[in-house]
Amino acid sequence: VQLQASGGGSVQPGGSLRLSCAGSGFTLDYDVISWFRQAPEKEREWVSSISRITGRTYYVDSVKGRFTVSRDNAKNTVYLQMNSLKPEDTAVYFCAADGSYHSYSTWYKDKYEYASWGQGTQVTVSS
């Protein structure tokens, strides 16, 4: 599986961006696609996930109501629409996928559970 993230950029607070994660080589085992972000000198943190099969979505509390994750299975692409951006959203954003078995229900929040990562796209929110 190969993933490629794109769509980052620089915006002012309150602005919007839409990130894309284009994938190839997916099988049905690769159900959940997730977004993580990493700010300078901080740990990579989970942001959002979506099930490619059911469309069910999950968000970290800090982005609920502002970010929306969606998928287009025909294009093998997952999107992260980011609205009302804040300076604390500044980070490199990564998409990730994994096709192996996971023994607990919230595995998708754990960066160590993913084998496939996109290259990252920079999002900068600043006035």
Side-chain angles (χ1 to χ4, degrees):
V1 171
Q2 292 187 334
L3 303 172
Q4 184 167 358
S6 61
S10 295
V11 296
Q12 293 185 340
S16 298
L17 284 172
R18 189 177 81 155
L19 306 184
S20 298
C21 176
S24 61
F26 285 131
T27 65
L28 288 177
D29 292 332
Y30 288 83
D31 177 24
V32 173
I33 307 297
S34 296
W35 288 96
F36 288 77
R37 65 186 179 187
Q38 188 166 15
E41 300 182 0
K42 290 191 175 181
E43 291 282 327
R44 189 170 298 188
E45 68 166 347
W46 172 73
V47 175
S48 180
S49 300
I50 186 168
S51 165
R52 293 172 63 234
I53 297 174
T54 67
R56 187 170 182 179
T57 59
Y58 308 85
Y59 301 95
V60 68
D61 286 347
S62 60
V63 308
K64 283 181 181 176
R66 300 188 299 121
F67 291 12
T68 302
V69 63
S70 61
R71 91 284 197 208
D72 184 335
N73 288 345
K75 296 182 179 180
N76 276 341
T77 300
V78 169
Y79 304 98
L80 186 67
Q81 177 67 45
M82 306 186 296
N83 298 329
S84 302
L85 282 162
K86 303 176 181 180
E88 51 263 43
D89 295 318
T90 295
V92 178
Y93 284 70
F94 300 87
C95 55
D98 192 82
S100 59
Y101 172 74
H102 303 277
S103 61
Y104 58 109
S105 61
T106 58
W107 68 269
Y108 54 85
K109 298 182 181 181
D110 187 347
K111 58 183 177 290
Y112 297 110
E113 294 286 339
Y114 291 86
S116 299
W117 291 85
Q119 82 283 12
T121 185
Q122 176 70 48
V123 171
T124 302
V125 185
S126 173
S127 55

